[in-house]
């Protein structure tokens, strides 16, 4: 919404005189007439004098409030500075009525100057006390933000220059440039408006030079400083919606509490002998106290029965920063609306049940990071180093939750400390002495050392979780184990082999299988994955001389147990020049036991087109299968664990197999 810029006749100013004029009676009608006639100029004057710290929206509303409240309740006798000879307003035969305008302008100026440092005097107090600036009672605008139309670069420079001046100096500059008053008139008007150090304000205003190539008067009359020519935009819709819901919830709570207070006493409620929900709990209060945060001894991990996160010592250069720890604990308990909160699936986001264990507190890149552990979850709090860090989550604060129950020495080897510029920095376990990076897409390539500092933090490493293309997939090798970043706090461990006993992905066969599987890991990001096992369960000679295909089943296990993901792929002979081209996914399963310890077998198939154009249904199973059959659009049966029958393009088939025990099984789905 835009309104046309409103203009008004330029009123006459004050010129040097011998002194103040005798007291003049200004009635309400004359004051109202002057206010209405010169309303755009008065609001512009108030807007320019008001502090820019209010923000453009509040500054506009405050300017209108100041001008509207300048109208007296009744006629008054006011001693005004000497008035100059009358000048015409631009309408022939209608001279400017200076007394009414000068009186209203004085009241506007006094109120605008007082808004710089609002003060109030309470009853029985001899002195005034400062108060924070409050929004005006009237006018009020709900659901919209109003601000003047934007000007050019010169207006922006002038606005910044004026905002750096104190209010009296701003007023002096505006009175000289906009109202055309001389120094004597400005000083008299400032003194009448109760401004402090009028002479100093004049000197400060005289030191302000307009931007090169412009005139200060023309700039002050531009739309940038016109609170009557406005643009409208909506407020924060999501925050307004949350506030509305909170208000409704608060109103409902008041009604419920009122109803409970009217009930007759005696007897227990449905919660038995429990205290009211709003009563303080000692354990919950202890969880907010940074002095009660637990810390493992520096060498406790050497003698620990299980090397999990509970054996990690507190590390970092800010482990004794009580203010940082207090903010982290407070945000964990009650994150504010501006805090970015994330949690892996199945991870509770509630506060700690008692004092958590401190794993790390320090600066990583441009963020202050705190890592905490409560026995079930690792919680990461981060705030900008140069931010305010106010309690409740200052600007840019983040809170991340990850479930880690049951972590051991092979899964508690590292935590993500920080992410920036497509890189990730880890905090390694205290028993990790060195780390290296290996590209899964280049199984024959040499590993690159990843420096690890004395405090366990690594140098930044490329993160495949933030990549948009799959030209490289960097994995982290520590303590003989292989890990990859899937966008969570805990990197996922990569293994290879049969489900009953997976091992490390060593050797050329496992390296090739992972090289052709790595690009499919992107679908597992943010799923709370603990381990990913890749199992080559069969090799099959394709019909019509199509070469040898590898059948691979990949299963991702989660920290929460449920939600596992399995997919089978056929890795046919790759095209020339693409030795490690990604395999073709032929079946997917979510939450099922396939290719896992409960069902350590696999069966999958796909329609494959030979070089001569003939379509085939090829299927393969693991070594436990003694027979494979196909039904539906394609029929066939073969003894053993492999099947290849001619098929039509687009045909659909149902696979089944028989185990050595005689049990019938179906293909992965």
């Amino acid at each position: 919404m835009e309104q046309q810029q409103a203009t008004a006749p330029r009123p006459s100013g004050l010129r040097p005189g011998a002194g103040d004029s005798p007291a003049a009676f200004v009635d309400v009608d004359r004051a109202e007439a002057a206010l209405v006639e010169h309303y755009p100029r008065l609001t512009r004057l108030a807007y320019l004098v008001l502090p820019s710290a209010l923000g453009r929206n509040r500054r506009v509303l405050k300017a209108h409030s100041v001008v509207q409240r300048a109208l007296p309740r009744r006629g008054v006798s006011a001693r005004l500075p000497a008035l100059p000879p009358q000048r015409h307003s631009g309408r022939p035969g209608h001279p400017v009525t200076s007394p009414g305008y000068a009186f209203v302008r004085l009241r506007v100026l006094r109120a605008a100057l007082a808004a710089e440092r609002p003060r109030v005097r309470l009853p029985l107090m001899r002195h005034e006390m400062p108060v924070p600036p409050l929004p005006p009672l009237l006018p009020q605008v709900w659901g919209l933000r109003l601000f003047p139309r934007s000007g050019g670069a010169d207006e922006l420079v002038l606005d910044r220059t004026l905002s750096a001046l104190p209010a009296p100096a701003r007023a002096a500059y505006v009175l000289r440039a906009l109202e055309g008053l001389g120094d004597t008139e400005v000083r008299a008007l400032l003194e009448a408006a109760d401004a402090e150090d009028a002479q100093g304000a004049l000197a400060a205003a005289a030191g302000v030079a307009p931007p090169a190539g412009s005139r200060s008067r023309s700039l002050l009359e531009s739309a940038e400083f016109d609170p009557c020519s406005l643009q409208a935009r909506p407020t924060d819709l999501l925050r307004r919606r949350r506030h509305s819901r909170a208000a409704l919830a608060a109103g409902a709570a008041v009604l419920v509490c009122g109803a409970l207070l009217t009930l007759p006493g005696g007897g227990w409620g449905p919660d038995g002998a429990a205290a009211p929900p709003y009563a303080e709990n000692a354990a919950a209060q202890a969880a907010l106290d940074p002095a009660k945060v637990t810390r493992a001894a520096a060498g406790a991990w050497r003698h620990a029965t299980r090397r999990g996160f509970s054996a990690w010592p507190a590390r970092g250069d800010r482990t004794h920063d009580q203010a940082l720890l207090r903010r982290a604990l407070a945000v964990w308990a009650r994150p504010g609306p501006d805090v970015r909160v994330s949690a892996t699936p199945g991870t509770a986001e509630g506060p700690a049940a008692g004092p958590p264990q401190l794993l790390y507190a320090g600066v990583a890149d441009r963020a202050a990071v705190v890592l905490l552990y409560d026995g079930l979850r690792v919680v990461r709090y981060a705030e900008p180093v140069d931010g305010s860090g106010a309690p409740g989550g200052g600007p840019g604060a983040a809170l991340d939750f990850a479930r880690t129950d049951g972590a051991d020495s092979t899964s508690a080897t590292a935590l993500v400390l920080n992410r920036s510029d497509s890189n990730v920095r880890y905090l390694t376990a205290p028993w990790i002495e060195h780390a290296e990076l290996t590209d899964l897409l280049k199984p024959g390539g040499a590993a690159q050392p990843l420096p690890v500092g004395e405090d366990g933090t690594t140098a930044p490493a490329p993160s495949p979780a933030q990549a948009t293309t799959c030209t490289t997939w960097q994995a982290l090798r520590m303590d003989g184990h292989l890990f990859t970043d899937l966008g969570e706090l805990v990197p996922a461990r990569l293994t290879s082999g049969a489900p009953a006993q997976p091992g490390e992905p060593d050797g050329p066969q496992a390296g090739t299988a992972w090289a052709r599987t790595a690009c499919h890991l992107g679908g597992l990001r943010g799923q709370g994955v603990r381990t990913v096992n890749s199992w080559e369960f069969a090799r099959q000679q394709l019909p019509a001389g199509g070469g040898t295909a590898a059948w691979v089943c990949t299963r991702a296990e989660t920290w929460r147990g449920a939600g596992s993901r399995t997919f089978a792929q056929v890795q046919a002979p790759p095209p020339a020049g693409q030795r490690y081209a990604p395999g073709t996914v032929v079946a997917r399963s979510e939450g099922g036991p396939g290719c896992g310890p409960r069902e350590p077998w696999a069966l999958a198939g796909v329609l494959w087109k030979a070089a001569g154009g003939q379509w085939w249904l090829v299927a393969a199973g693991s070594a436990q299968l003694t027979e494979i059959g196909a039904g539906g659009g394609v029929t066939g049966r073969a003894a053993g664990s492999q099947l290849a029958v001619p098929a039509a393009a687009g045909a659909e088939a149902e696979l089944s197999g028989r185990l050595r025990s005689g049990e019938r099984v179906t293909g992965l789905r």
Side-chain angles (χ1 to χ4, degrees), residues 230-617:
L230 302 174
Q231 290 179 322
R233 295 293 184 271
T235 56
D236 190 334
L237 300 179
L238 293 179
R239 179 177 296 181
R240 189 172 71 192
R241 185 178 299 172
R242 289 194 297 266
H243 288 177
S244 300
R245 292 175 180 172
L248 290 176
V254 170
L255 293 177
V256 171
C257 292
L260 292 177
L261 291 176
T262 60
L263 294 177
W268 281 351
D271 294 335
Y278 50 80
E280 293 184 353
N281 179 272
Q285 293 298 315
L288 298 174
D289 188 353
K292 295 184 179 180
V293 169
T294 63
R295 306 164 192 254
W301 60 273
R302 301 180 185 275
H303 313 287
T305 304
R306 186 181 68 180
R307 288 185 176 181
F309 291 112
S310 60
W312 283 29
R315 289 171 288 177
D317 56 0
R318 298 182 67 175
T319 55
H320 298 287
D321 189 338
Q322 297 294 306
L324 174 62
L325 298 181
R326 186 180 302 277
R327 290 195 296 272
L329 295 172
V331 173
W332 181 359
R334 50 183 190 280
D338 296 329
V339 179
R340 302 190 304 273
V341 181
S342 68
T344 56
T347 304
E349 300 180 14
Q357 178 185 343
L358 178 63
L359 303 181
Y360 180 87
V363 176
D365 301 318
R366 297 179 296 273
V369 180
V370 178
L371 292 177
L372 299 165
Y373 176 64
D374 68 350
L376 296 176
R377 302 167 295 174
V378 168
V379 179
R380 174 183 176 271
Y381 169 78
E383 65 180 26
V385 174
D386 55 354
S388 61
L399 189 66
D400 303 314
F401 294 86
R403 186 168 174 173
T404 57
D405 46 320
D408 53 19
S409 60
T410 59
S411 54
T413 53
L415 290 172
V416 170
L417 198 59
N418 195 48
R419 301 179 189 275
S420 63
D421 302 329
S422 299
N423 293 326
V424 59
R425 189 187 296 271
Y426 297 98
L427 175 68
T428 61
W431 53 84
I432 299 298
E433 296 181 355
H434 65 276
E436 58 186 16
L437 295 173
T438 179
D439 189 353
L440 294 181
L441 302 187
K442 299 177 181 178
Q448 301 294 324
L450 181 64
V452 180
E454 295 182 358
D455 60 350
T457 60
T458 68
S463 171
Q466 299 179 356
T468 57
T469 59
C470 189
T471 57
T472 180
W473 194 285
Q474 296 292 338
L476 180 66
R477 188 177 293 277
M478 298 179 296
D479 201 18
H481 306 305
L482 195 63
F483 300 86
T484 188
D485 179 24
L486 293 180
E488 303 169 4
L489 286 180
V490 186
R493 184 187 174 193
L494 304 180
T495 60
S496 182
Q501 194 175 4
E504 301 303 323
D506 299 326
Q509 182 176 339
T512 300
W514 267 115
R516 305 190 66 180
T517 303
C519 289
H520 296 299
L521 294 177
L524 302 177
R525 294 186 179 111
Q527 299 301 316
V529 174
R530 180 173 184 168
T531 61
V532 184
N533 183 57
S534 185
W535 171 35
E536 183 179 308
F537 62 87
R539 279 184 173 265
Q540 181 181 19
Q541 290 294 326
L542 296 175
T548 303
W551 291 87
V552 179
C553 189
T554 304
R555 180 178 175 86
E557 298 284 359
T558 66
W559 285 94
R560 63 189 183 277
S564 61
R565 297 196 173 190
T566 307
F567 60 90
Q569 55 177 318
V570 57
Q571 296 179 353
Q578 302 181 32
R579 182 180 179 185
Y580 301 114
T584 302
V585 176
V586 299
R588 296 181 185 272
S589 174
E590 183 172 348
C595 299
R598 291 173 52 199
E599 291 187 1
W601 58 81
L603 173 60
V606 68
L607 287 179
W608 175 78
K609 185 178 182 181
Q614 173 65 45
W615 284 91
W616 294 80
L617 170 65

